[in-house]
């Protein structure tokens, strides 16, 4: 019998890719902001795959690689309310693979948000007790669990935090092209939220590939929402060039292609700021966009905070990377 993964498998520029997302996602015209800048929103919150988000694009390539490797199990890791873990669980459900999630924190009495969904998708959740941003501890646990699964006779494909490997980044090389093909007018900038760096690496790699082909290639601006990325980890240019090499695509990312605006993180990952709370309400009231408190509200706060960089008549795109389930675990309103 053909497995679900095999029936979804195809090849994109030499890289195995499994169809999981509903693509292309819409590019939506938003309001005019600042002094006359036209905002557009690339709706990657609408990728499908268990409530959508940027990880669907990465998982298409990660699961393609897993299929080629003959895997039967997915393992990954994240914060307690990780969108990446929830979407990996959704991919596992779709492909008929067992999925194991290594999560920060303790198992709560009642599951909610991404954890509730991951449970519905049938994933095994391993709560580590680690703090929400103790990435080193979480990664060590992921590797240990992967080894235990191998010892048990399974064939795990183990995915680092955020799916931000060169393979995962291929999803956003393709996305950059998809977005530019949708634009009638060349945007001045593409702004998005960055945490584990894979989305950023893919976008700058996609830009370098288009630049090499002589096509329109507006700059990308990452809004950093985790301490690692704000401190230059991972090396986005290196990851991007590795992704280009992996797919055999021409073009090169230079360090000055990588721009990370570090001013919107606030105290820490997942800690709201006045600007992020205001941006979430602004997005909800100006475009009916659901912006989550951990990622996209800080990203939108960054875009709005940069508006003076652009001139009247300019067009700017915000990539809405998802995160909807987090909205239902915010307890900051009565
Ligand atoms: C909703 C959302 N936006 C943005 C990001 C950041 O993407 P990346 O980890 O590729 O930097 C994530 C990552 O978990 C996310 O869940």
């Amino acid at each position: 019998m053909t497995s679900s993964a095999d029936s979804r498998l195809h090849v994109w520029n030499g890289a195995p890719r499994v169809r999981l997302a509903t693509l292309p996602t819409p590019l939506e015209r938003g309001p005019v902001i600042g002094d006359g800048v036209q905002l557009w929103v690339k709706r990657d919150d609408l990728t499908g795959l268990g409530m959508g988000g940027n990880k669907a694009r990465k998982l298409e390539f990660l699961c393609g690689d897993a299929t080629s490797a003959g895997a039967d199990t997915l393992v990954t890791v994240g914060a307690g309310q990780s969108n990446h873990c929830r979407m990996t669980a959704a991919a596992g459900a779709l492909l008929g693979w067992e999925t194991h999630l290594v999560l920060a924190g303790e198992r709560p009495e009642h599951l909610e948000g991404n954890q509730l969904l991951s449970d519905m998708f049938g994933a095994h959740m391993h709560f580590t007790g680690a703090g929400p941003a103790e990435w080193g501890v979480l990664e060590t646990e992921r590797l240990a669990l992967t080894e235990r699964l191998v010892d048990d006779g399974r064939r795990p494909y183990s995915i680092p935090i955020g799916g931000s490997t060169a393979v995962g980044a291929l999803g956003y090389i393709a996305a950059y092209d998809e977005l530019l093909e949708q634009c009638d007018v060349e945007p001045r900038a593409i702004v998005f939220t960055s945490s584990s760096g894979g989305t950023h690496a893919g976008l700058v790699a996609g830009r370098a590939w288009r630049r090499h082909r002589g096509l329109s290639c507006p700059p990308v601006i990452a809004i950093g929402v985790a301490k690692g990325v704000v401190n230059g980890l991972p090396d986005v240019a290196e990851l991007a060039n590795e992704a280009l090499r992996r797919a055999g695509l021409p073009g090169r990312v230079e360090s000055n292609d990588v721009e990370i605006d570090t001013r919107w993180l606030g105290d820490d990952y997942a800690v709201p700021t006045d600007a992020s709370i205001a941006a979430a309400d602004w997005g909800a009231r100006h475009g009916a966009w659901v912006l989550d408190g951990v990622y996209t509200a800080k990203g939108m706060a960054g875009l709005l905070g940069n508006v003076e960089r652009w001139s009247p008549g300019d067009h700017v795109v915000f990539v809405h990377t998802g995160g909807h389930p987090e909205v239902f675990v915010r307890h900051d309103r009565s």
Side-chain angles (χ1 to χ4, degrees):
M1 196 175 82
T2 315
S3 83
S4 182
D6 287 334
S7 64
R8 291 166 184 273
L9 189 65
H10 60 290
V11 175
W12 181 87
N13 283 298
R17 180 179 190 177
V18 166
R19 232 178 306 276
L20 297 173
T22 306
L23 303 176
T25 55
L27 176 64
E28 197 171 286
R29 182 189 278 269
V32 170
I33 55 174
D35 242 357
V37 176
Q38 176 63 57
L39 176 66
W40 294 83
V41 176
K42 174 67 169 162
R43 298 293 306 271
D44 271 14
D45 56 322
L46 302 181
T47 55
L49 190 64
M51 285 191 75
N54 59 341
K55 300 307 183 300
R57 292 187 187 270
K58 296 182 182 182
L59 283 162
E60 288 205 332
F61 287 96
L62 292 164
C63 292
D65 198 33
T67 305
S68 299
D72 61 6
T73 303
L74 294 173
V75 184
T76 198
V77 60
Q81 280 294 335
S82 162
N83 297 299
H84 164 66
C85 286
R86 177 252 310 169
M87 298 196 74
T88 303
L94 212 52
L95 300 176
W97 294 345
E98 199 170 290
T99 303
H100 291 261
L101 308 176
V102 173
L103 298 173
E106 308 286 349
R107 189 178 184 94
E109 195 182 342
H110 300 291
L111 297 175
E112 50 184 3
N114 283 307
Q115 293 176 358
L116 171 65
L117 292 167
S118 297
D119 188 60
M120 288 173 70
F121 295 133
H124 300 264
M125 287 187 279
H126 304 261
F127 289 91
T128 57
E134 281 191 284
W135 309 124
V137 176
L138 288 164
E139 283 292 12
T140 305
E141 290 286 328
R142 172 181 66 85
L143 295 173
L145 174 65
T146 306
E147 275 178 27
R148 287 202 298 279
L149 288 163
V150 171
D151 291 344
D152 289 348
R154 302 213 57 92
R155 296 189 304 277
Y157 184 83
S158 195
I159 304 173
I161 203 123
S164 286
T165 63
V167 173
L170 297 178
Y172 271 88
I173 295 185
Y176 186 89
D177 229 17
E178 177 187 303
L179 168 59
L180 270 297
E181 293 303 316
Q182 288 172 312
C183 293
D184 294 330
V185 184
E186 183 170 332
R188 284 296 302 273
I190 297 166
V191 183
F192 65 98
T193 311
S194 185
S195 170
S196 63
T199 303
H200 195 183
L203 289 172
V204 289
R207 179 174 184 233
W209 182 35
R210 278 183 72 90
R211 186 166 57 202
H212 182 89
R213 288 177 286 158
L215 300 171
S216 62
C217 55
V220 301
I221 302 171
I223 308 297
V225 302
K227 281 192 174 148
V229 86
V230 160
N231 292 326
L233 293 171
D235 183 326
V236 170
E238 199 176 290
L239 186 58
N241 285 321
E242 197 186 329
L244 286 168
R245 268 197 306 278
R246 174 136 201 149
L249 298 173
R252 184 167 170 80
V253 175
E254 305 299 341
S255 54
N256 62 4
D257 290 325
V258 176
E259 178 177 351
I260 304 173
D261 185 342
T262 60
R263 296 171 295 159
W264 309 95
L265 166 65
D267 286 341
D268 209 342
Y269 172 81
V271 178
T273 61
D274 290 346
S276 72
I277 293 166
D281 284 353
W282 185 89
R285 292 166 198 187
H286 287 80
W289 301 303
V290 176
L291 301 174
D292 76 291
V294 180
Y295 297 100
T296 53
K298 286 185 179 174
M300 181 63 91
L303 184 148
L304 295 172
N306 273 294
V307 74
E308 283 175 8
R309 287 172 64 162
W310 305 301
S311 309
D314 281 351
H315 294 248
V316 172
V317 177
F318 179 67
V319 183
H320 187 331
T321 43
H324 292 168
E326 189 271 348
V327 170
F328 302 106
V329 301
R330 281 176 66 179
H331 299 136
D332 57 1
R333 281 179 199 233
S334 47

